[in-house]
Amino acid sequence: MSDRSLGPGPGSPAVTSLVRLRHDTAKPLYQQLEEQLRALIEDGTVAGGTTLPAERPFAEALGVSRTTVQRCYDSLRRQHYLTAHGRHGFIVAAGRTRLSPGMDRLKGFTEEMQELGRVPSTRIVERRVVQDRSIASLFGLPSTAPFLKLVRIRCGDGMPLSREVAWYDLTAVPALAEGDLGGSVYAFLGAHGAALVRCRQTIEAATPDAEECAVFGFTQPLPCLLIKRQSYARDDRMIEYVEGLFRGDAYAYRLDLKA
């Protein structure tokens, strides 16, 4: 079987020409193959819908055992990168290209997904008015100040990408308590005279807990990005504090820096 039959499609490089397995390292061959195939899928080199070959011919083309390819495929299937296609091999799942949003300006999840060509959707898990001493201190407000606590699962093309826990100052935007927040909260704020104009944001590495693994469909904890953001209106009043856990296998934030 030639390399051409193992390729991702006309005009695309053959998968076997992109894989480089090393025999002079302690890392198992199946793990090397898994990491390289996952990277090729995430950066779009191997596109969603591509049919990968069956285990035996792929193993022969790579010069490895069938067990090596089998273990690699099984792992990628459990992580939802591949779907079984019978004796014809495996198909690369759609929507697994790693998202690379820019961080050049303040924008909400809905706008970000639209810019990336994804269809945004939201599932509200929790919505209630609360008083929280520690959150109030972040806003510089009295401990009795009311906040809207909003827990949402944010999806792109139907895939859960983040679990967000957000608090909003109801003394600044009382309409949030009963408003329709199924779409963009940022658009809602703008329509009620509290458009957000700047934010302070940090990004940390984080490990998802059992509940978050269930949201993302992880069979085991995988690295995630924890993004904490404090957002302000034009009068420099803090309106929002949000902690969003983003799946690390789908996100790679991009920064454009100038000298």
Side-chain angles (χ1 to χ4, degrees), residues 130-137 141-147 149 167:
V130 300
Q131 292 179 343
D132 187 301
R133 186 185 301 273
S134 61
I135 295 299
S137 68
L141 295 173
S143 60
T144 55
F147 295 93
K149 181 181 180 182
W167 292 265

Side-chain angles (χ1 to χ4, degrees), residues 23-183:
H23 296 268
D24 60 346
T25 176
K27 181 174 289 188
L29 291 172
Y30 82 89
Q31 191 174 349
Q32 295 182 47
L33 181 59
E34 175 190 339
E35 291 176 354
Q36 291 184 43
L37 284 180
R38 183 168 57 235
L40 291 171
I41 293 168
E42 288 179 347
D43 69 14
T45 301
V46 178
T50 297
T51 299
L52 296 181
E55 297 160 0
R56 189 183 301 279
F58 198 16
E60 291 174 355
L62 294 175
V64 299
S65 71
R66 182 179 178 181
T67 302
T68 294
V69 177
Q70 186 178 54
R71 293 184 68 177
C72 164
Y73 278 178
D74 284 346
S75 180
L76 290 175
R77 181 178 52 80
R78 290 194 301 270
Q79 297 172 53
H80 307 292
Y81 281 87
L82 304 179
T83 57
H85 192 42
R87 61 183 179 179
H88 298 292
F90 288 79
I91 294 178
V92 176
R96 294 317 304 254
T97 302
R98 190 182 292 266
L99 300 171
S100 297
M103 298 184 71
D104 53 335
R105 62 187 178 86
L106 174 61
K107 54 192 169 187
F109 180 87
T110 300
E111 182 183 1
E112 186 172 86
M113 287 296 102
Q114 291 171 342
E115 288 184 356
L116 293 169
R118 300 293 180 92
V119 178
S121 59
T122 296
R123 177 163 58 91
I124 297 177
V125 177
E126 179 183 343
R127 175 180 179 167
R128 59 193 177 98
V129 176
V130 300
Q131 292 179 343
D132 187 301
R133 186 185 301 273
S134 61
I135 295 299
S137 68
L138 284 174
F139 282 79
L141 295 173
S143 60
T144 55
F147 295 93
L148 174 67
K149 181 181 180 182
L150 195 60
V151 182
R152 296 182 291 175
I153 309 301
R154 315 303 301 273
C155 302
D157 289 346
M159 175 188 291
L161 295 175
S162 72
R163 179 183 183 273
E164 292 184 356
V165 183
W167 292 265
Y168 297 92
D169 178 8
L170 288 179
T171 64
V173 192
L176 277 169
E178 302 296 335
D180 180 5
L181 303 181

